[in-house]
Amino acid sequence: MLISYRWLARHVDLEGLDAHRVAELLTLHTAEVEGVEPFAPALSEVVVGHVLERVQHPDADKLGVCRVDVGAHAGGTEPLQIVCGAPNVAAGQKVAVARIGSVLPGDFKIKKSKIRGVESVGMICSVRELGLGDDHDGIWVLDADAPVAAPVGTPVAAALEVDDWVIEIDNKSLTHRPDLWGHRGIAREIAALTGRALRPLDTALPTPSGAATVQVDVQHPGCSRYVAVAIDGVRATESPRWLRMLLLAVGQRPIDLLVDTSNFVMLDIGQPNHLFDRRALGGRPIVVRGARAGETMATLDGVERALTTDDMLICAGDEPVALAGVMGGAGSKVAEGTTELLLEVACFDPSVVRRTAARVGLRTDSSTRFEKHLDPLLPLTAAGHVVQVLRSIQPDVTVAGPVVEGGTWTDPTRTIDVRPQRVRHLLGTPVDDERIASIFESLDLAVERRTPDTWRVTVPARRATKDLTIEEDLVEEVGRVLGYDTIVSTPMLAPVAPAPRDRRRELVRLLADRLSGTGRFHEALTYSFVDESLVSALGLGALPYAIAVNPVAEGMARIRRSVAPSLIGKLETNLAQRSEVRLFEIGKGTRPEQLDERGQPHEVHRLALVLARANASGSPSPSATLGELQTLLTDALGRTGAGAVDFVAAPVVTPDDHAWAHPRRRMAIQVGGSSVGLVGALDPRAAARLCDGADVAVAEVCLDALLELGLTPPSYRPIPRFPGVKVDVALATPGDRPAREVMDLIEKAGKGLVASTELFDVYRGEGLGDGRKSLAWHVVLQAADRTLTEKDQNTFLDRLERMATQAGAELRRQ
Amino acid sequence: MDIEAHERTVRSRIAEATDADALRAIEREYLEKGGVVADLLASIPTLPPTERKAAGQGANALKRAVTEALESRRAALDGAQLEAELAAPDFDPTIPARPLDAGSLHPITQAARRLEEIFSSMGYHVLDGPEVELDHYNFEALNIPKDHPARDMQDTFFVSASGDRSDTSGALVMRTHTSPVQVRAMERLEPPFRAIAPGRVFRQETTDATHEHTFHQMEGLVVGDGISVAHLIGTMKTFLREVFERDLDVRLRPGYFPFVEPGFELDARCPFCESGCRVCKQSRWIELCPCGLVHPNVLRAGGIDPERYSGFAFGLGLSRLVMLRYGLDDIRHLMGADVRFLEQF
């Protein structure tokens, strides 16, 4: 909301408070100020000039050559010669002159020039050139509506007394303050904060001079009060300069006296109002009713609007003339020459107005105010104010008949019990009773000290609708007027106790540290929404998803079930930059098929990893990344101490949250024998579509499952006292024999002496026979109680050879 | 040749030797089997008995002298060689070290960890809340009933669990702030307690360099006996001192949030300048976080008697802190998962 400093001064004496000080007071005590700007700075650039003479340009029909007295100027005191093309310029006028060097809106700098051979020293300005409106039909004649007393050469802003500052207040910070949506409300704050008096405002309705009658029939509960006043003798002339300037200062375009007065009163005291052409109503009653299904109406902006039964209408008879609280109807415009008006000032229900405004997408000055829950006492004040403003400009305006009212309303004035001790207690500051009482009184909150400990405070209607309803609201009033800077920072007193241990966070930290450290993964964060095309490329489209009903973009409605797909979606752009990408993310997935009793979907906590290598020429073996990812998972998950990490075959299931995984190259990740997730190569079809066939391994780990296993510090094993013996063995087996079985064979042959086995080569090819493979292992034999000899080694090899032969394998002696 | 002549000769030969091989040759010639000293000793029995003693002593003296001279010449030569090696110009200090392709933790994680450490050290619980949240916790329980204008402050994503785009029940939303954790915390914990809740939040708005539909916040909540605005100010000052590693002035201004009463905006003295800069828009204050005393309706919604306990709450913009801290010019990097961004942290 824009506030004019000059406008504020109509309501409170601002002596000694400049616009910046006013803004500071508001910032610290009332609401958020977004900026303070001078109004139309061009008005201080241009000066009053007196047109002494206008003669025809010798060489151009439409141009005149003027001699303009601007008093003393850089070149002396001689009148300036200015070439001007405006049809309305004439000798004797007072005009706005931009001299050489002046800068007008649009960074337009005035320079000396020659126009068709005639020298021109300056410019006579139009309203538009000064940034004050659209009028560019001619120059701005300053004394058109009133003489200009200031001498020539005076800056126009000062001469016309229209210099002003504009204070912008953040609307959100006024959400709870219906009383601050007009200048008088802001002025009331300044008055309370500086101990000044608010100037009186005469809003009494004059006695009706006639007996014009209007019928008002309020049928809708959303209209608690409808005030109708018939007004006669009004002419839609141009508004006086002071009114136009104030409206311009707060960003409103002056139209004519009727529209301008209506807007002025709204911006002055915060009450929207509407002027109807009484003749157009044709004697029909004003009916406030709900819209009927399928009904339509054209609003003032010319748009035909489809209505719903939630909307409230103002009708003449049955014909809609306004969308209540939002905008007038196209047909309700006051026709030229009308002198008979009907003034509507009403109190509409905030929810009804809010819903309609939101649905039709029309957030108007009017709807914004009604939403805040306006004071039902205000309509009568506003009606009087409209009439008084009109009469101050056109003295023969009269009230044509008695005020007609409709609707049922109650005075919201209320009392709140407040304990001064609680005020001190919640603010944490020793403000005394007298100061508290004086703050209340400065805000028109009457105090009745029923007991020393409990006071009864009466809240005036304008603040009682929604804003001040409980004791804590009054605590805030004391705190903000007092100034929060007076409260001394105080440490809290609390039992000294550590926060409880948080195992989930410990687990997440441990994994993230290990993966970003040893694992050399980058931690990424990605959206909780997953792209439609990604979901379908990964074969995850048939699963149930919660969706955003109003997504930020089409195709971004689905809320992810797990985290790995989002990371897979980030591979392509990253692989365009580098040949290897390692990403992990710890995040959440939403499972709408599991709703709790309150309808909340189950949330899963996941760790996802991707390890990808671009498909370079001479590409590595197709599952190189898968093995690496297993190594890194073994390391990181092993650190949890929850048990040995192992990988076992994982069959495809339907529906499958792991559909991104290769149908065969996929394994369940086990920790201490419990399954905690899945690791696999990215399905080659998905890899082809999403990342140019890169070699990608993906894993997703369920943190909840991991957490259930507990975090255990590693258990100590004594360092062996006797050296071990390293033996390399190669075993040829049928091609489909799992490595696990071969490993078991080695361990059995060792009879408890096998300390470790490590597969270092898999060979298929010549010399092995059809479909056979050879697995080569580093084996360490070790005993706890003695140094092993060559004899032990030979015993192991002999035994292994025998057992291998029995198992259809063959120990290959070098 | 007498002993002295031998000694002179060998000493000068040793002094002239320039490498280990030459010294070794001399050693062999004089000291080893069949060498000069051995010959001298072998010749003793042929001498007259009166000369034998002196000859023996002479041979031994020669042996000693040669040994010592060899040793010292060897040491000198080794030293010279070491000097030469140390002085060799074959080292280029400008050869670049090979970069390590290391991993990284996301800056949001790093910031959240720092804040968690600060608050945990002061006895705060670290809590978590769901991202798909019930309207009850996101709005109703926070004193934001249906049709409240404050709902406009938060451009809300509405969620359908059944995946139905025409679902307008509005019962589920993507949480618009971390504040829903307030009432969840009250339901779970017995006062007095202190808690923080970092996490992602969602606003239905178009993204650009300064707007993102998904960003991070951290909620703070303290409920206890006699908690006041003075405690809120004290807590925020302590916390800021830890984050910025110096004392920063703070100020409270009135701010409206339906779930606090009184409600504030907390500003801190700009930590980046002394006299106005781009970050503080020349005001020397930076808006840091909305906060306030917990509204009695919110305490009640969490099952806490507002006459018995009071509390304060604050909401820190984690994404904003990270942007300030690193001078990020585009918020979209945070959720972009671009390694060129991530590897910088």
Side-chain angles (χ1 to χ4, degrees), chain A residues 220-489:
Chain A
H220 197 292
C223 174
S224 58
R225 189 173 194 190
Y226 195 101
V227 171
V229 180
I231 299 175
D232 274 355
V234 184
R235 282 152 293 127
T237 54
E238 184 181 57
S239 299
R241 191 169 61 216
W242 67 263
L243 178 50
R244 281 184 285 130
M245 287 296 162
L246 289 183
L247 290 174
L248 281 169
V250 298
Q252 296 275 339
R253 198 161 62 92
I255 310 285
D256 60 41
L257 182 62
L258 305 184
V259 178
D260 293 352
T261 302
S262 172
N263 282 335
F264 173 80
V265 167
M266 174 179 69
L267 300 169
D268 200 35
I269 62 172
Q271 170 67 54
N273 56 86
H274 199 76
L275 284 165
F276 292 104
D277 188 332
R278 209 155 86 236
R279 291 180 313 183
L281 298 176
R284 291 172 292 179
I286 294 288
V287 178
V288 183
R289 64 166 172 87
R292 292 184 275 265
E295 198 168 2
T296 63
M297 78 169 287
T299 40
L300 259 177
D301 52 6
V303 179
E304 186 76 17
R305 312 222 171 238
L307 305 176
T308 75
T309 51
D310 285 343
D311 303 322
M312 181 163 56
L313 295 175
I314 311 300
C315 303
D318 196 48
E319 181 202 353
V321 291
L323 195 50
V326 180
M327 192 176 264
S332 75
K333 260 189 194 150
V334 175
E336 202 138 329
T338 300
T339 58
E340 296 167 29
L341 297 177
L342 183 75
L343 170 64
E344 162 200 295
V345 197
C347 194
F348 296 124
D349 179 75
S351 298
V352 172
V353 172
R354 199 182 115 81
R355 274 198 294 268
T356 295
R359 191 182 53 76
V360 301
L362 268 179
R363 304 293 306 279
T364 59
D365 285 329
S366 165
S367 73
T368 306
R369 285 173 173 76
F370 282 118
E371 278 181 12
K372 307 297 182 285
H373 221 127
L374 292 178
D375 170 11
L377 298 180
L378 203 50
L380 210 55
T381 311
H385 196 19
V386 169
V387 174
Q388 293 280 8
V389 170
L390 288 174
R391 275 163 68 100
S392 74
I393 296 159
Q394 295 179 351
D396 43 355
V397 168
T398 58
V399 172
V403 172
V404 182
E405 284 213 37
T408 321
W409 57 278
T410 48
D411 184 346
T413 305
R414 71 169 86 215
T415 61
I416 301 173
D417 287 347
V418 63
R419 293 159 288 177
Q421 187 52 37
R422 187 159 170 85
V423 173
R424 288 185 280 271
H425 167 92
L426 286 178
L427 291 177
T429 199
V431 53
D432 65 32
D433 282 5
E434 295 318 307
R435 183 79 179 104
I436 295 174
S438 77
I439 287 173
F440 285 148
E441 275 147 20
S442 74
L443 296 166
D444 294 340
L445 301 166
V447 178
E448 180 197 344
R449 301 194 194 193
R450 293 165 68 90
T451 73
D453 297 335
T454 307
W455 303 352
R456 181 151 293 180
V457 169
T458 303
V459 181
R462 65 172 179 275
R463 299 207 59 191
T465 52
K466 202 78 181 160
D467 172 14
L468 301 182
T469 56
I470 57 173
E471 188 178 27
E472 284 76 6
D473 294 328
L474 296 178
V475 172
E476 173 165 50
E477 293 304 295
V478 174
R480 71 182 184 87
V481 174
L482 199 61
Y484 294 118
D485 56 342
T486 64
I487 298 175
V488 178
S489 153

